[in-house]
Amino acid sequence: TATLAIKDRSSLSLPAMFFATLVANITDLAGNKLVQPATAWSWSVPDWIKLPTFPAGMDPVLRVGSDLRPVVAYATLSMPNGNVIYTVEVAQYDGQTWTLLSAPTTSVNTGGDGYSLELDAENRPTVAWAFADVADVNVHAASWNGSEWAQLPAVDGVELPGTDADMPRVRLDGMGHPIVAWRESTGTGNSRNVFVARWNGTAWDQPYGNLGLDTVPELSGVALVLDSQGNPVVGWQTSLGGGVSTWSNTWTQSPILPAGNDHSIALDALDRPLAVERGATTGVFSLVGAEWQVATSTPVPVGASSQNPILAVTADHAPVVAWLDTTGPYKIGLARWTGASWDVRFGLFSAGATLSIVEPSLVVDLQGNIWVAWLEDGLIQVWMSNY
């Protein structure tokens, strides 16, 4: 067996045909010389590994486990009696096909107000969604134990009739317990706030309360990551711009990001919030103290018609950004920061249908592979880059 590793892939242009030549003086441990193959050793390398597709009604949320196998949460679409129903489902890839797990709840219409996904240390999914209980819409969660879903009680930030929740986001702490953030109306006019709660193993603990954003106009986006100590870092979007709130026994609110629209967050090597945001240009910013600073020497090379930039980071916390390009037929763009410039060899890509892409889901796995998932003409696409 000969195992070859390419040390520097930066100059490769894929797809390509690869050829290998073995020198004649290779021997085995007993000293027997290699018998050269009768034909040249060659193989084709695509630019993307494309997994099988399957139907869905709403965008996938992608995660990739330590086993390098992807899991997606998505919503199916049904129309009983003409009513549009979106129901949350979860699928795991086994290396050959997608295995559709049972739905995390027997309730229906669980996908219309948002859903989120995370994997534990054993690569088992936890999913969160918003669902209308008797008086209002609350946040629900369930964890897969290998054979069935373990349901958690609903969590409610305001506990008043009509204070509906949506946009749930879930992450897992070091114990594997869910932490959720979500948007919820406060019961006062059109006011909304972001709430955060942690499952302590027996009940929802809510020491985080809310972020104090009920006075800002048009709270329209929520994002959640955990720092190295398990503390929540919450991104939020308003009509005035986006920002983040960090937790250290109390919430500290950042200044508004300079660009203004569509932001996504991650953390750098020092646990400082990173954000990508679309404005006159699309940039990556780092929160240093109480000030947003440009994190890369050049903006992300998106086109003028880009939307919905999504941020992830590699193991060494280098930014990777995906976005939606709406010039002509919709396509997805992707760029990786090398430390000096943006690697854009991925180009703009899609499955080639008459596209209805809304927002890609982006993951960098533990080996540095970049994965992108999206919904295109009713089919979930999950691709892994060979770059």
Side-chain angles (χ1 to χ4, degrees), residues 35-272:
V35 177
Q36 292 282 357
T39 58
W41 184 16
S42 64
W43 63 98
S44 177
V45 178
D47 49 356
W48 293 96
I49 304 298
K50 303 175 184 179
L51 275 57
T53 61
F54 60 94
M58 293 187 74
D59 293 322
V61 178
L62 173 68
R63 295 290 181 264
V64 179
S66 60
D67 57 1
L68 306 183
R69 292 183 175 177
V71 180
V72 294
Y74 60 100
T76 58
L77 169 65
S78 59
M79 299 185 66
N81 302 318
N83 298 315
V84 177
I85 300 295
Y86 292 104
T87 301
V88 173
E89 300 275 0
V90 179
Q92 293 177 316
Y93 190 67
D94 64 9
Q96 298 293 327
T97 60
W98 289 99
T99 299
L100 305 182
L101 304 181
S102 59
T105 172
T106 56
S107 302
V108 297
N109 205 23
T110 53
D113 291 315
Y115 45 89
S116 183
L117 172 71
E118 193 58 281
L119 304 181
D120 68 12
E122 298 181 36
N123 302 313
R124 298 175 302 190
T126 291
V127 63
W129 67 94
F131 178 67
D133 294 322
V134 175
D136 57 0
V137 177
N138 294 320
V139 174
H140 295 250
S143 297
W144 182 255
N145 62 17
S147 59
E148 62 182 2
W149 291 100
Q151 299 285 334
L152 301 182
V155 58
D156 188 348
V158 180
E159 297 184 349
L160 291 174
T163 54
D164 292 341
D166 61 6
M167 298 184 183
R169 306 290 184 254
V170 64
R171 294 291 184 265
L172 302 181
D173 64 17
M175 299 288 291
H177 295 155
I179 296 178
V180 292
W182 69 96
R183 183 181 70 167
E184 185 171 344
S185 56
T186 63
T188 304
N190 295 322
S191 174
R192 294 179 176 182
N193 215 321
V194 176
F195 296 81
V196 183
R198 182 193 299 264
W199 180 254
N200 63 18
T202 57
W204 287 108
D205 188 13
Q206 302 189 53
Y208 308 109
N210 65 69
L211 271 59
L213 297 172
D214 50 315
T215 59
V216 301
E218 296 296 330
L219 180 61
S220 58
V222 180
L224 173 66
V225 295
L226 303 183
D227 67 19
S228 60
Q229 303 302 311
N231 296 312
V233 178
V234 181
W236 38 266
Q237 185 74 39
T238 76
S239 60
L240 299 178
V244 299
S245 293
T246 55
W247 176 262
S248 180
N249 296 318
T250 186
W251 289 109
T252 299
Q253 183 175 314
S254 79
I256 296 291
L257 279 155
N261 299 293
D262 296 344
H263 87 292
S264 172
I265 66 170
L267 297 175
D268 68 11
L270 299 177
D271 261 357
R272 298 177 304 195

Side-chain angles (χ1 to χ4, degrees), residues 3-43:
T3 301
L4 306 180
I6 299 173
K7 292 183 177 180
D8 181 9
R9 295 185 291 178
S10 63
S11 63
L12 297 180
S13 179
L14 301 177
M17 183 67 70
F18 281 61
F19 299 86
T21 301
L22 303 178
V23 297
N25 60 353
I26 293 178
T27 65
D28 65 14
L29 294 178
N32 300 299
K33 288 188 175 182
L34 172 72
V35 177
Q36 292 282 357
T39 58
W41 184 16
S42 64
W43 63 98

